[in-house]
Amino acid sequence: MASVTGPEIERLIQLLAKLPGLGPRSARRAALHLIKKREQLLAPLGEAMRVAAERIVVCGTCGNVDTADPCAVCADPRREETILVVVEDVSDLWALERAQVIKARYHVLGGTLSALDGVGPKDLNLDRLVARVAGGGVKEVILALNATVDGQTTAHYVTDLLTPHGVSVTRLAHGVPVGGELEYLDEGTLAAALRQRTAL
Amino acid sequence: MASVTGPEIERLIQLLAKLPGLGPRSARRAALHLIKKREQLLAPLGEAMRVAAERIVVCGTCGNVDTADPCAVCADPRREETILVVVEDVSDLWALERAQVIKARYHVLGGTLSALDGVGPKDLNLDRLVARVAGGGVKEVILALNATVDGQTTAHYVTDLLTPHGVSVTRLAHGVPVGGELEYLDEGTLAAALRQRTAL
């Protein structure tokens, strides 16, 4: 390929292929699309990446990514200060913010405990979480962790860590997803939905 | 979203979502992946895009994209000068080069004739093709166009355009794809494969 496309295009394809969701074939297609739309897309995207690489920092308080530390969420004075939503990853924080269901503060763990992958408590953003709770002002910690084995293991660990500090620790409800059909749900979800049924 | 991620990340997501194969959701995932791998991926990819936007030109001879004009293919002295392979798009040129089946020169049309999409002969890189053939030295023009209605219409048009110049115009064979199963092939392909059967 090098003789056809030149090292610059080859490097662009190789780097694009490292993005999640793009393989070698779709990376070539994306590179060609970028080259064809040089002014509208290639140059602006390159510039946006340069700016992002230069300015983005991890928030020292919650672990979110932003161009300021503390991040826009932590610095927002209109948010509920007494509620802390604990998430695994920044993408979960974004998902909750898109849903616009809670105006609280967040804490990003940066993963879940996993014996299989060798992730222990020291690898997660836990010390900072305990310090935030111990610092006072937080009344409720909502564990918005994935309903996976690792997520639930982490939830139990975090609960044990935080209860001595006198905060109420809650987790997201299990149940039938909105728009979901019972026929396609697993037994665990159906059992949880029945157990946690609510009055009409 | 703007209040959570800041305008820089938002812009990165919006531009990534314009790549073929990435939607809004996968663009967010890609942006987060890039931010997490800032040193290994975000900064180098931004730089590769800047370099590409700055240096890539369309070859004035064949229509390929490269950092030099004439491009590396046109400038390569080891290629067969008498054969010209006509393709619709640069991606087809790349595909043929990856297959390493012919060391010839190319000519990129930049599309196919299409009454439906309003693409006429003036919209394609045809004048330059006729000039190359009329300039002498070319003995055979291979039409490596897609086996679609538009591709075949274009093939007929190009044939009519070039035959007055005394070159032999050929096209790719139709038939059973290597590894393909007869059971799943359409009637047109089977008929073509039978008609153009070869001796063992």
Side-chain angles (χ1 to χ4, degrees):
Chain A
M1 279 295 288
S3 70
V4 201
T5 54
E8 291 87 354
I9 303 179
E10 198 53 34
R11 181 161 168 75
L12 184 62
I13 294 171
Q14 274 170 10
L15 288 169
L16 282 171
K18 290 185 182 169
L19 289 179
L22 289 185
R25 189 174 286 261
S26 47
R28 270 197 301 272
R29 205 155 64 91
L32 207 56
H33 184 81
L34 283 166
I35 290 167
K36 282 180 187 167
K37 301 202 173 250
R38 187 201 313 218
E39 295 305 320
Q40 308 99 297
L41 194 52
L42 178 55
L45 186 53
E47 176 63 13
M49 286 184 179
R50 194 191 62 75
V51 170
E54 211 175 84
R55 294 200 203 149
I56 286 172
V57 289
V58 173
C59 175
T61 306
C62 73
N64 186 17
V65 290
D66 198 357
T67 45
D69 180 10
C71 71
V73 174
C74 286
D76 184 354
R78 290 161 305 172
R79 284 175 185 264
E80 183 59 67
E81 301 245 13
T82 60
I83 300 177
L84 208 55
V85 182
V86 174
V87 292
E88 288 180 27
D89 199 271
V90 175
S91 55
D92 301 324
L93 188 163
W94 291 2
L96 284 167
E97 282 297 305
R98 275 199 304 284
Q100 295 187 310
V101 282
I102 189 161
K103 283 279 259 180
R105 307 215 182 254
Y106 291 90
H107 194 86
V108 181
L109 292 182
T112 46
L113 297 176
S114 169
L116 215 61
D117 298 330
V119 181
K122 288 284 150 214
D123 302 309
L124 301 182
N125 189 13
L126 285 170
D127 291 347
R128 183 83 211 129
L129 173 63
V130 174
R132 284 178 84 179
V133 170
V138 177
K139 284 185 187 150
E140 180 181 359
V141 174
I142 304 175
L143 302 179
L145 303 173
N146 290 338
T148 55
V149 172
D150 285 346
Q152 296 310 300
T153 307
T154 310
H156 283 294
Y157 186 87
V158 174
T159 307
D160 291 346
L161 217 56
L162 296 183
T163 34
H165 296 279
V167 287
S168 139
V169 182
T170 57
R171 66 164 172 78
L172 297 185
H174 290 314
V176 182
V178 175
E181 296 181 50
L182 297 195
E183 187 180 351
Y184 301 110
L185 284 177
D186 62 295
E187 294 80 9
T189 305
L190 285 174
L194 254 180
R195 215 165 37 234
Q196 297 170 37
R197 64 191 177 277
T198 56
L200 272 175
Chain B
M1 279 293 288
S3 71
V4 202
T5 55
E8 292 88 353
I9 303 179
E10 198 53 35
R11 181 160 168 76
L12 184 62
I13 295 172
Q14 274 170 11
L15 289 169
L16 282 171
K18 291 184 182 170
L19 289 179
L22 289 186
R25 190 174 285 262
S26 46
R28 270 196 302 271
R29 205 155 63 92
L32 207 57
H33 184 80
L34 282 165
I35 290 166
K36 282 180 187 167
K37 300 199 172 251
R38 186 202 311 217
E39 294 306 321
Q40 309 99 296
L41 194 52
L42 178 55
L45 186 53
E47 176 64 11
M49 287 186 178
R50 194 192 60 75
V51 170
E54 211 175 84
R55 295 202 202 147
I56 285 172
V57 288
V58 173
C59 175
T61 307
C62 74
N64 187 15
V65 290
D66 198 357
T67 44
D69 180 12
C71 72
V73 174
C74 287
D76 184 354
R78 290 161 306 172
R79 283 175 186 264
E80 183 59 68
E81 301 245 13
T82 60
I83 300 177
L84 209 56
V85 181
V86 174
V87 291
E88 289 180 23
D89 199 273
V90 175
S91 55
D92 301 324
L93 189 163
W94 291 2
L96 283 166
E97 283 296 305
R98 274 199 306 281
Q100 295 189 310
V101 281
I102 189 161
K103 282 279 260 182
R105 306 214 183 257
Y106 291 89
H107 194 85
V108 180
L109 292 183
T112 47
L113 297 175
S114 167
L116 214 62
D117 298 330
V119 181
K122 287 286 148 214
D123 302 309
L124 301 182
N125 189 13
L126 284 170
D127 292 346
R128 184 82 211 129
L129 173 63
V130 174
R132 285 179 84 180
V133 170
V138 177
K139 284 184 186 150
E140 181 182 358
V141 173
I142 304 175
L143 302 180
L145 303 173
N146 290 338
T148 56
V149 172
D150 284 346
Q152 296 309 301
T153 306
T154 310
H156 283 293
Y157 186 87
V158 174
T159 307
D160 291 346
L161 217 56
L162 296 183
T163 34
H165 296 279
V167 286
S168 142
V169 181
T170 56
R171 66 162 172 77
L172 298 185
H174 289 314
V176 182
V178 175
E181 295 181 50
L182 297 195
E183 188 181 350
Y184 301 109
L185 284 177
D186 61 297
E187 292 80 9
T189 304
L190 284 174
L194 253 181
R195 215 164 38 233
Q196 297 170 38
R197 63 192 177 278
T198 55
L200 273 175

